[in-house]
Amino acid sequence: MSRSLTIAALVSILLSGAIFGFFYAWVCSTMWGLDAADPRVAIAAMQAMNASVRNAIFAPAFFGTGPFLLITALLFWRTGAARAALYFGAGGGLYLIAGAGLTMAINVPMNEALAIVEVPQDVEQARAIWAAYSPDWQVWNQIRTVASGATLLLAALGFAAGQKALGNRVI
């Protein structure tokens, strides 16, 4: 396998792993912690996290994963490694639809609606707001987490298929 093709495959795996890890952390710690907190704190913390996530460190993983996987698929297809191209292409398509697409269609609008909420002083009112937000947000996050995990698996399978088709030299 050529050095540039190997690098493209490894970057695809790295980006897939980064976004899977990001979504996974929300599943297994962040949201559980917020659910256990005072709902006024949970609302304010979620508002702050949602506002801070739009940054140059997060952007490559969120916006770059799908396109980079598709570019890698095209590169493998051009070398005749059809199975590797299929895995990378499937991963790219899956992420664009069920990772980034779902995020933009569902999670972001939910986050934007929460962003304009003034955190109430009354704990029961805050509890009602959080209860209307958190469970649904978590369901959609779990779906995009599973999709992103599958994307990572497909990228790894693509790399293995490329190694088999084009030779086992990693770099």
Side-chain angles (χ1 to χ4, degrees):
M1 186 175 345
S2 75
R3 182 181 194 114
S4 59
L5 192 53
T6 299
I7 291 169
L10 292 175
V11 170
S12 290
I13 292 169
L14 179 64
L15 289 172
S16 299
I19 198 65
F20 170 62
F22 176 81
F23 292 148
Y24 180 72
W26 287 91
V27 169
C28 66
S29 64
T30 305
M31 293 307 289
W32 291 347
L34 292 175
D35 285 347
D38 179 312
R40 296 169 294 191
V41 171
I43 293 167
M46 192 68 168
Q47 289 171 331
M49 286 184 281
N50 288 333
S52 72
V53 77
R54 298 178 198 113
N55 63 64
I57 296 171
F58 174 70
F62 184 77
F63 294 107
T65 297
F68 211 90
L69 284 161
L70 295 177
I71 290 167
T72 304
L74 178 63
L75 293 172
F76 272 106
W77 177 75
R78 291 180 67 195
T79 66
R83 175 166 277 162
L86 177 66
Y87 285 130
F88 282 105
L94 177 61
Y95 175 74
L96 287 171
I97 293 167
L102 189 143
T103 299
M104 299 306 288
I106 297 173
N107 292 88
V108 168
M110 290 180 76
N111 295 344
E112 289 174 346
L114 187 68
I116 61 173
V117 169
E118 186 172 324
V119 180
Q121 294 298 315
D122 178 65
V123 72
E124 291 308 316
Q125 188 180 5
R127 192 177 324 280
I129 292 167
W130 189 250
Y133 173 84
S134 179
D136 289 344
W137 191 94
Q138 288 187 62
V139 166
W140 293 109
N141 183 62
Q142 289 167 4
I143 293 168
R144 68 187 182 169
T145 301
V146 169
S148 296
T151 295
L152 175 58
L153 177 61
L154 287 165
L157 291 171
F159 183 76
Q163 290 288 93
K164 184 176 181 183
L166 302 174
N168 290 325
R169 185 169 169 260
V170 174
I171 290 186

